[in-house]
Amino acid sequence: MTVPTVPLFLDCDTGVDDALALTYLLDVPHVDLVGIGTVSGNIDAATAAVNTAALLAMCERAVPVAVGAHDPIGGAYRGGAPHVHGANGIGGVDLPPGVAAADDPAAELLVRQARAFADGPRKLDVLAIGPLTNLAVALELEPRLPELVGTLTIMGGAVWDRGNVSPTAEANVHNDAEAARRVLRAGFDLVLVPLDVTRQHRFDDADAARFTAAGDPLRVALGTMLSRYIDFYETVDHVRRAPLHDPLAAAIAAGEVGPTVRSTPLDVVLGGAEHGRTVPAADGPSVRVVVAAEDSAADVIRARILAVGPSPARA
Ligand code: BDR
Ligand code: CA
């Protein structure tokens, strides 16, 4: 069976798990990455673009990368998560430089690609694996964005599970809670991949060793950054296994891993001790919250990261 090609826009804050998600996506034959926006989160938006372009170059792929918002709506970037992702966002690993970022800001590139595909055989899907600032800006530029695009898949939130940057909040939502609330309320066909499910699917030291043993610069770099990422998770989860936050969202967006979904009305808490919490709320917009994913997820993601090269694998 031939799977129809899906034009996909990726918005990210690259980031170790963003790097794994990107390299996974580059190997999916039916995914056509038509643009990448970066946003401040794990690292500032400009450095996230540098990291993204470097990974693309190592895979010998040309995808436009556009730098997006440095600061969250109504606030200021607070310096990322060097204790999780290293001082450069990718575990302190040095990568050879890639192509410089596009001139357009990320939100403009997203709107342009959404319009370009809106009347074609397949609308643009969007995968957001960082804070939602660029999407909120894009909504200001083009309020019809939810109608123009297909599915928006978001890695973010902690709905019934605990948070990871506070007892109740997840990093991507917490870093720009106002943007998250606007995006949730905007009327997208929206799938949320929260910590509740991403903590259930992990890579361990054996995965890092497999990447490193592949021996080529890309996979040695990914193996090294994964190993450092696992070091961090050992300090918080007391196991040497790192959650596949962004790669799992990517595999669900690509349709390669089946999700179990619970449609839930959700709101985002603004201010106070629970700032950034994604909370079930009767008057909130209904969101398809992923609560479980197929057991094969880690295997599917690992196989593609081990295979990715200059052209997509053939199905
Ligand atoms: C999310 O926040 C970032 O640290 C990760 O890249 C992921 O997108 C997990 O809470
Ligand atoms: Ca991310």
Side-chain angles (χ1 to χ4, degrees):
M1 191 183 76
T2 312
V3 183
T5 299
V6 181
L8 183 71
F9 186 93
L10 175 68
D11 198 75
C12 54
D13 58 337
T14 319
V16 175
D17 59 329
D18 303 74
L20 295 169
L22 171 62
T23 47
Y24 158 78
L25 283 172
L26 290 173
D27 195 59
V28 182
H30 62 268
V31 167
D32 182 16
L33 260 185
V34 298
I36 302 177
T38 66
V39 62
S40 294
N42 297 323
I43 191 75
D44 64 277
T47 307
V50 169
N51 294 343
T52 305
L55 291 161
L56 289 169
M58 291 178 93
C59 297
E60 297 180 47
R61 302 299 182 85
V63 181
V65 178
V67 180
H70 178 77
D71 293 318
I73 292 172
Y77 171 57
R78 290 188 299 266
H83 58 298
V84 187
H85 295 268
N88 68 350
I90 46 174
V93 174
D94 284 325
L95 300 181
V99 175
D103 290 336
D104 287 357
E108 289 183 22
L109 180 63
L110 167 55
V111 168
R112 197 167 72 240
Q113 295 294 48
R115 287 176 180 151
F117 286 93
D119 297 322
R122 178 87 196 215
K123 287 181 176 176
L124 183 73
D125 279 352
V126 181
L127 170 63
I129 55 176
L132 295 166
T133 322
N134 291 337
L135 271 88
V137 174
L139 277 168
E140 281 176 11
L141 296 173
E142 175 50 278
R144 290 170 48 247
L145 192 64
E147 302 153 40
L148 298 181
V149 301
T151 301
L152 166 61
T153 304
I154 294 172
M155 189 284 126
V159 181
W160 295 280
D161 200 357
R162 70 188 190 285
N164 60 357
V165 288
S166 81
T168 52
E170 179 279 334
N172 287 339
V173 174
H174 188 266
N175 277 327
D176 197 341
E178 174 63 44
R181 186 186 242 196
R182 289 186 197 180
V183 170
L184 251 58
R185 291 178 171 196
F188 285 103
D189 174 29
L190 200 158
V191 174
L192 190 75
V193 185
L195 296 179
D196 307 59
V197 63
T198 63
R199 285 192 174 115
Q200 298 172 26
H201 299 269
R202 295 181 180 239
F203 274 171
D204 60 18
D205 285 317
D207 295 300
R210 280 189 199 107
F211 295 151
T212 307
D216 61 290
L218 171 71
R219 270 154 287 253
V220 169
L222 293 174
T224 305
M225 59 181 96
L226 173 60
S227 179
R228 292 175 186 170
Y229 195 54
I230 292 170
D231 289 344
F232 166 75
Y233 274 99
E234 186 177 20
T235 68
V236 288
D237 289 348
H238 311 292
V239 287
R240 288 198 58 80
R241 303 175 72 227
L244 294 174
H245 302 302
D246 294 345
L248 183 67
I252 289 170
E256 291 208 306
V257 169
T260 303
V261 162
R262 192 183 298 168
S263 289
T264 309
L266 276 191
D267 199 5
V268 177
V269 176
L270 299 183
E274 297 203 330
H275 180 72
R277 180 178 181 185
T278 43
V279 63
D283 57 348
S286 183
V287 172
R288 302 211 301 282
V289 179
V290 178
V291 293
E294 284 180 297
D295 290 344
S296 58
D299 295 339
V300 167
I301 294 161
R302 181 194 314 108
R304 292 216 175 275
I305 293 172
L306 283 168
V308 66
S311 58
R314 292 286 144 241

